[in-house]
Amino acid sequence: MEDNCLCFPLRMRNRISSSSFPAIWLFFFFFFSLGLAALEAEHRHSSGVVDDADKIRAQFLHLLRTRRSPPVRLTVEPAKPVLHPLFQGVAPPPLNKSIVSCPKADIENPKERLKEENLYLRTEAAEQGRLPVLILSSKDSNQTRRPAVVFLHATNTNKEWLRPLLEAYASREYIAIAIDSRYHGERAHHQTTYQDALVSSWKKGDTMPFIFDTLWDLIKLADYLSLRKDIDASRIGITGISLGGMHAWFAAFADTRYTVAVPIIGVQGFRWAIDNDKWQARVDTIKAVFEEARIDLGKSAIDKEVVEKVWDRIAPGLASQFDSPYSIPAIAPRPLLILNGADNPHCPLDGIRTPEKRARKAYRKAHSSNNFKLIAQPGIGHQFTPLMVKEACVWMDRFLKQ
């Protein structure tokens, strides 16, 4: 029987004398030890990636708690359907044309087969701590627990704007959820509620209406969804458009219960935009706060200094330790699909090359390279397209319907 302890060629084995055998074993033991050391080093590095993600996540959660009203017990209150949702500024076009590529179940009278729930979650004591939630699901499902997807709307819109997407997903055995982000929809009182909140944050520094305050709501929403008997808590996805894309990105970073994420035209490099003078398109979407800061800082025009100071004031860390080069890799190894337009001035593609590179490294170290993907649609700016809808559906199905 051939010796199978080491796969030497037969000729080489015949040349090994009994006197040289121990030396040969020492030689191979040396290289085996080097290999083991390399594996241990790789494990330590992989653990370091996880430790770094946990550390930055803990820092972010601490920040969220610093600007909260007194804590309250999470409660659920019934609500009524919103018949005339509030749009701040010019109402965007309906989503119907954009979602033609989103698959729907082939059933008769699909809307009549859907169950609608309207409710409020109490997430904190302040007025904005009343979170409006819209949930659609299939009445005919035979699944005890189903996957869920949270949808997040764009600036100045509302949860009702997302209804076509919710209906499509709900028809395919998902629990589909939408919320009004802070100072939007039912949480707004007039056409400038969101802009006013941003200016107030600059003046007082007591709230974080740009992205971060809504993150607190999304953490509390995950608490609620995880307790529902019709939802599989291990299969909760999150997606959003523009501002909603930023909310989805940061929610997946902050709360690991969001197991799949698809931010759409939302991921960007805030620090990169400042350093490369590419901040204008993003600033223009909420210009009132930057104009107020310009005046307070004695500037004749909005410049990079104004931009940096506003971000540091209303969303501390957004252009530094919590920016995309750090928070995007922290989502690994959970599935993450970033959708963008290749010519998007709000989210310049060059500004997310570093977070993309770091994310690929983090996913590779976690042996989950297939869980990360970035698609930049050629010739598209800051637009929500049928291709993005289709890719998001495919991604959710791939990871939530296994």
Side-chain angles (χ1 to χ4, degrees):
M1 180 180 294
E2 237 182 81
D3 182 3
N4 60 6
C5 61
L6 290 170
C7 297
F8 294 148
L10 181 61
R11 186 178 301 172
M12 182 66 71
R13 289 206 306 271
N14 290 339
R15 292 178 181 174
I16 300 174
S17 67
S18 59
S19 61
S20 64
F21 191 75
I24 290 294
W25 270 106
L26 286 172
F27 175 80
F28 277 96
F29 178 77
F30 173 73
F31 278 97
F32 175 78
S33 299
L34 287 179
L36 186 60
L39 287 174
E40 290 175 345
E42 181 179 351
H43 175 72
R44 286 195 300 271
H45 184 85
S46 298
S47 298
V49 171
V50 173
D51 291 344
D52 289 345
D54 288 342
K55 181 178 179 180
I56 187 176
R57 188 175 295 112
Q59 292 171 347
F60 183 71
L61 293 174
H62 174 74
L63 170 67
L64 293 187
R65 294 186 185 101
T66 62
R67 297 194 188 180
R68 297 272 71 78
S69 57
V72 297
R73 184 171 61 88
L74 182 69
T75 58
V76 183
E77 308 168 27
K80 295 180 179 180
V82 177
L83 301 180
H84 304 288
L86 174 64
F87 291 89
Q88 299 178 57
V90 179
L95 286 180
N96 300 71
K97 291 184 179 180
S98 298
I99 69 158
V100 293
S101 57
C102 187
K104 298 180 181 179
D106 186 16
I107 55 178
E108 293 183 6
N109 303 317
K111 291 187 179 182
E112 296 179 7
R113 302 285 187 89
L114 297 181
K115 174 185 175 183
E116 177 174 335
E117 299 173 67
N118 291 273
L119 53 91
Y120 299 114
L121 297 181
R122 176 57 67 179
T123 64
E124 63 176 306
E127 179 191 4
Q128 287 291 318
R130 194 172 187 235
L131 174 64
V133 184
L134 170 63
I135 302 175
L136 296 184
S137 57
S138 173
K139 296 177 182 177
D140 303 327
S141 176
N142 55 10
Q143 296 185 48
T144 304
R145 293 184 181 270
R146 285 169 273 177
V149 177
V150 175
F151 297 84
L152 301 161
H153 61 76
T155 301
N156 295 335
T157 65
N158 48 65
K159 64 185 182 303
E160 284 73 27
W161 181 64
L162 295 166
R163 180 179 284 271
L165 274 172
L166 270 64
E167 291 175 349
Y169 273 75
S171 75
R172 298 190 300 114
E173 299 291 312
Y174 283 99
I175 307 289
I177 305 107
I179 68 165
D180 285 327
S181 63
R182 298 267 174 138
Y183 309 99
H184 286 77
E186 294 185 71
R187 304 167 97 174
H189 306 297
H190 47 75
Q191 288 287 315
T192 61
T193 295
Y194 181 45
Q195 300 290 344
D196 293 347
L198 294 165
V199 171
S200 176
S201 177
W202 164 256
K203 295 288 190 181
K204 300 177 181 178
D206 58 348
T207 59
M208 298 181 287
F210 187 67
I211 305 177
F212 291 176
D213 280 344
T214 296
L215 264 294
W216 183 260
D217 298 325
L218 290 169
I219 291 170
K220 296 299 182 179
L221 178 66
D223 290 343
Y224 169 70
L225 298 179
S226 298
L227 294 174
R228 283 181 62 116
K229 294 181 179 180
D230 57 350
I231 289 178
D232 181 345
S234 68
R235 294 186 293 161
I236 301 177
I238 192 163
T239 184
I241 305 163
S242 192
L243 175 62
M246 290 184 265
H247 286 146
W249 148 26
F250 273 93
F253 155 58
D255 196 327
T256 57
R257 290 174 296 182
Y258 291 111
T259 53
V260 180
V262 185
I264 303 172
I265 56 173
V267 175
Q268 60 211 270
F270 286 91
R271 179 78 254 167
W272 181 93
I274 293 170
D275 292 342
N276 292 274
D277 197 34
K278 298 291 184 181
W279 45 262
Q280 292 83 356
R282 173 57 60 202
V283 164
D284 283 346
T285 63
I286 51 173
K287 197 167 186 178
V289 64
F290 291 94
E291 283 292 349
E292 195 72 22
R294 175 190 67 78
I295 295 169
D296 290 347
L297 295 170
K299 298 272 189 173
S300 59
I302 299 171
D303 59 17
K304 63 187 296 182
E305 181 186 358
V306 172
V307 174
E308 184 167 9
K309 286 184 179 299
V310 168
W311 291 145
D312 286 346
R313 179 73 163 171
I314 71 173
L318 181 64
S320 53
Q321 70 263 40
F322 305 130
D323 200 359
S324 55
Y326 310 101
S327 53
I328 287 292
I331 298 172
R334 288 164 292 142
L336 171 64
L337 169 64
I338 299 173
L339 294 169
N340 199 11
D343 302 322
N344 187 352
H346 297 69
C347 309
L349 201 56
D350 287 344
I352 55 176
R353 290 306 184 194
T354 295
E356 177 193 11
K357 180 180 179 180
R358 292 184 181 181
R360 292 193 186 283
K361 181 178 180 180
Y363 278 85
R364 186 170 62 251
K365 290 295 183 182
H367 307 289
S368 303
S369 295
N370 292 334
N371 285 8
F372 177 79
K373 190 174 184 181
L374 184 151
I375 298 175
Q377 188 174 352
I380 296 297
H382 196 66
Q383 302 161 257
F384 180 52
T385 68
L387 175 66
M388 296 176 187
V389 173
K390 180 181 178 181
E391 293 291 347
C393 289
V394 170
W395 193 260
M396 291 295 185
D397 286 352
R398 175 182 170 189
F399 291 104
L400 293 179
K401 286 199 166 185
Q402 292 178 340

